[in-house]
Amino acid sequence: MLEVKNLNVYYGMIHAIKDVSFSVKKGEIVSLIGANGAGKTTILQTVSGLIKPKSGEIIYNGENIVKISGHKLVSKGLAHVPEGRRIFAELSVIQNLKLGAYTRRSNFEIDETLKNIFNKFPRLAERKNQLAGTLSGGEQQMLAMGRALMSHPSLILMDEPSMGLSPIYVNKIFEIIKEINNDGTTILLVEQNAKKAMSIADKVYVLETGNIVRSGNASELINDEAIKKAYLGE
Amino acid sequence: MAFFSYLISGLSLGAIYAIIALGYTMVYGIAKMLNFAHGDVIMVGGYIAFTCSISLGVNPYIATIISALGCMVLGVLVERIAYRPLRGAQSLSVLITAIGVSYFLQNVALLIFGANTKSFTSIINMPPLKLFNGELTITAEAIVTIIVCLVVMALLTLFVNKTRLGWAMMAVSEDKGAATLMGINSNATIGLTFAIGSFLAGIAGVLLCSSYPTLTPTTGAMPGIKAFVAAVLGGIGSIPGACIGGFLLGILENLSKAYISSQLSDAIVFSVLIIVLLIRPTGLMGKKQIEKV
């Protein structure tokens, strides 16, 4: 579904992503793990067109999307839950959700999706007229996910969905990610919470200062001594 | 009765400031830039209406629409050519560019129309309203200007709060990157904002020249700056703020002209800006900015 080949991204003179290649198959949860500054967010932002790479290819459903501007990717089924949630704080919950469906035209289908999202996140239904900025961190994360789902995506990029949340919410968010995946959406997940990420992922790539240093099935890597030591704190 | 007459002409002047300030405030809210050429778009609007209605003999109302559309095209072109390449540049570079555009427009007008004052004929051809046995006279221009301002504000508020494009505008204003992730084309949205603001500037230009019927290449400069003061006074970025700021400023200016000194009125207007900035930097309706570190 998604294939990234020899991706190189620079911030000015800084070579942030060095020849990174990875792939995501339809129906999978693929997790990129790594420390702060390893380049996880940069990779996601490049895939969704917010940052333009210096070289490399991003093949999405057979099409090289490197040159396509970010806003055109949403209607191709690519959604992105950004780091730090970035919900529209001055707008209401329902406005945020409807903006998620900005590229869709059929009101009937949008209402259908909205119903599903309210079923998945009853909390958002309770607060639909509240300004998004007044929600708690966990609720904002749910809103950011709901907003991404509103575009009816086939691939969702999720950037640190558990960041800054209480342990109860962390568990809840990972359950929801699993659920979204079971509904048929492919997920590319970036996390610092490597243990949690590996527990739900099919495939894992380990990123260190812009390079992919390890990759493999989650079930294998989770028992790898070096990974355990470096990322799982055991 | 004299007081009411000053008050109403102040309201009418304020309505013009408010329409101009709406353009300032919307562009600031969404593109986060001060478009100092906005005042000169008003002047261009005045010249377009002048050329159409006086030189070419077009019906004055149609001339107003042509002028608004002309300004809209001008605003979009200016954004496309001068400001868009600077997206992401330091705000100082954008500000200087805006001042450059302002001088450019003034000098193009000077080149085409010369420095002589053109006397504009009001597009509103209606008798003034006389109240209280003729003691209070309200010009038709004042009534039309105030009504146009209120209608414009109501339509804009509806547009921003109720339509998909309006929500997209608010989204872009809050977070351009996140808006892109929703599939919103932020450049097009910013272009649309310039289109709306400049369209309003065209209308403001015609109304301004109808009430104050002299037209020179620098006609737009002073009202432009005052409208900017009005936008800051009301809280820059806020649509109702721009209106309230505009009305307050117009009334203040007219009352100071009448009761204090007509030479000092501008000084008083700008003192208000300084005082507001000292006491309430975000303006009357502005939101408190919380700096996240």
Side-chain angles (χ1 to χ4, degrees):
Chain A
M1 172 165 249
L2 179 73
E3 200 167 354
V4 172
K5 291 183 197 161
N6 307 101
L7 192 69
N8 283 287
V9 182
Y10 284 77
Y11 288 114
M13 297 292 286
I14 300 162
H15 195 177
I17 300 298
K18 297 162 192 158
D19 229 23
V20 161
S21 301
F22 65 92
S23 64
V24 181
K25 290 201 189 76
K26 195 168 168 37
E28 279 184 332
I29 298 182
V30 172
S31 189
L32 294 175
I33 62 173
N36 251 343
K40 306 182 300 284
T41 298
T42 305
I43 290 179
L44 291 197
Q45 290 188 334
T46 312
V47 171
S48 59
L50 293 181
I51 301 176
K52 293 291 162 206
K54 188 126 194 175
S55 65
E57 288 184 354
I58 302 169
I59 313 289
Y60 171 69
N61 284 338
E63 183 186 7
N64 189 354
I65 56 169
V66 163
K67 292 218 157 58
I68 299 179
S69 16
H71 68 270
K72 288 189 187 142
L73 295 175
V74 184
S75 50
K76 292 183 188 288
L78 190 74
H80 186 156
V81 183
E83 184 182 17
R85 308 182 273 267
R86 289 170 77 173
I87 47 136
F88 303 112
E90 306 281 332
L91 298 178
S92 68
V93 168
I94 189 97
Q95 282 177 318
N96 268 274
L97 289 173
K98 290 212 167 152
L99 276 173
Y102 188 77
T103 51
R104 297 172 73 187
R105 282 292 173 271
S106 156
N107 277 329
F108 173 76
E109 283 173 32
I110 292 173
D111 286 343
E112 233 12 60
T113 314
L114 191 63
K115 238 182 261 165
N116 288 337
I117 286 166
F118 280 154
N119 276 333
K120 210 181 278 303
F121 307 104
R123 211 40 182 278
L124 296 182
E126 285 164 31
R127 318 208 153 193
K128 63 180 179 188
N129 294 320
Q130 220 167 300
L131 286 188
T134 63
L135 301 180
S136 76
E139 289 164 351
Q140 288 188 9
Q141 187 60 53
M142 290 177 177
L143 178 57
M145 287 182 160
R147 189 177 66 173
L149 286 171
M150 283 297 288
S151 65
H152 196 63
S154 40
L155 171 65
I156 301 191
L157 316 179
M158 290 191 186
D159 200 344
E160 305 273 7
S162 76
M163 189 169 67
L165 301 184
S166 68
I168 298 171
Y169 261 122
V170 170
N171 289 334
K172 214 177 208 170
I173 291 290
F174 277 98
E175 272 166 34
I176 291 166
I177 296 173
K178 195 80 201 149
E179 220 175 277
I180 293 171
N181 180 244
N182 287 339
D183 294 343
T185 313
T186 312
I187 291 171
L188 175 57
L189 173 70
V190 153
E191 260 294 337
Q192 285 202 48
N193 190 335
K195 200 175 194 170
K196 278 277 174 202
M198 289 172 95
S199 74
I200 61 164
D202 298 299
K203 229 165 151 195
V204 175
Y205 291 87
V206 182
L207 208 63
E208 258 173 35
T209 57
N211 293 294
I212 287 183
V213 291
R214 292 290 301 270
S215 65
N217 290 331
S219 48
E220 289 163 24
L221 286 187
I222 206 162
N223 293 315
D224 185 286
E225 285 307 319
I227 299 276
K228 269 188 184 173
K229 224 170 159 184
Y231 296 102
L232 303 177
E234 286 171 23
Chain B
M1 246 356 110
F3 174 77
F4 285 105
S5 136
Y6 295 136
L7 191 68
I8 285 162
S9 56
L11 271 176
S12 142
L13 177 64
I16 294 173
Y17 290 157
I19 299 172
I20 307 171
L22 282 171
Y24 259 114
T25 231
M26 286 182 67
V27 164
Y28 179 83
I30 283 138
K32 298 286 177 288
M33 67 162 288
L34 291 173
N35 178 17
F36 271 119
H38 191 59
D40 301 292
V41 176
I42 300 161
M43 170 274 295
V44 173
Y47 275 112
I48 294 176
F50 176 83
T51 311
C52 288
S53 72
I54 289 157
S55 307
L56 304 175
V58 177
N59 172 304
Y61 296 105
I62 294 173
T64 309
I65 293 167
I66 295 175
S67 152
L69 292 175
C71 287
M72 186 166 93
V73 172
L74 176 69
V76 171
L77 281 179
V78 165
E79 193 273 332
R80 188 74 192 75
I81 296 168
Y83 302 148
R84 192 175 298 181
L86 291 170
R87 194 93 74 235
Q90 289 177 349
S91 54
L92 193 61
S93 317
V94 187
L95 189 70
I96 292 169
T97 307
I99 294 172
V101 171
S102 161
Y103 279 112
F104 175 77
L105 293 179
Q106 286 180 16
N107 284 288
V108 168
L110 192 63
L111 202 64
I112 300 175
F113 297 98
N116 290 339
T117 305
K118 303 264 187 270
S119 68
F120 195 91
T121 322
S122 170
I123 59 145
I124 298 146
N125 193 6
M126 280 182 277
L129 184 67
K130 287 192 195 301
L131 294 174
F132 306 107
N133 301 322
E135 276 184 65
L136 181 63
T137 310
I138 305 171
T139 62
E141 283 83 2
I143 298 170
V144 171
T145 307
I146 293 168
I147 290 173
V148 167
C149 172
L150 294 177
V151 169
V152 161
M153 188 185 118
L155 287 179
L156 266 188
T157 310
L158 275 179
F159 173 74
V160 169
N161 292 319
K162 298 285 176 212
T163 68
R164 220 170 123 261
L165 277 175
W167 294 1
M169 268 186 179
M170 290 205 274
V172 172
S173 132
E174 223 181 292
D175 186 336
K176 239 181 273 172
T180 305
L181 297 180
M182 304 297 109
I184 297 167
N185 182 345
S186 64
N187 274 334
T189 310
I190 291 172
L192 174 71
T193 314
F194 270 86
I196 295 175
S198 309
F199 183 89
L200 295 182
I203 295 177
V206 176
L207 291 172
L208 179 75
C209 293
S210 294
S211 297
Y212 304 87
T214 55
L215 187 55
T216 69
T218 53
T219 290
M222 206 47 167
I225 290 175
K226 290 207 186 125
F228 168 63
V229 174
V232 172
L233 182 68
I236 193 141
S238 149
I239 289 176
C243 263
I244 292 172
F247 280 122
L248 282 179
L249 206 70
I251 293 169
L252 182 77
E253 183 180 330
N254 247 25
L255 292 185
S256 11
K257 263 186 193 148
Y259 293 107
I260 304 172
S261 151
S262 56
Q263 274 95 36
L264 275 180
S265 71
D266 284 352
I268 293 170
V269 164
F270 291 114
S271 313
V272 167
L273 174 69
I274 295 169
I275 294 167
V276 168
L277 286 179
L278 285 175
I279 299 172
R280 222 185 128 83
T282 55
L284 299 172
M285 309 280 286
K287 283 169 234 114
K288 245 194 209 138
Q289 294 284 329
I290 301 162
E291 285 279 326
K292 274 195 184 156
V293 186

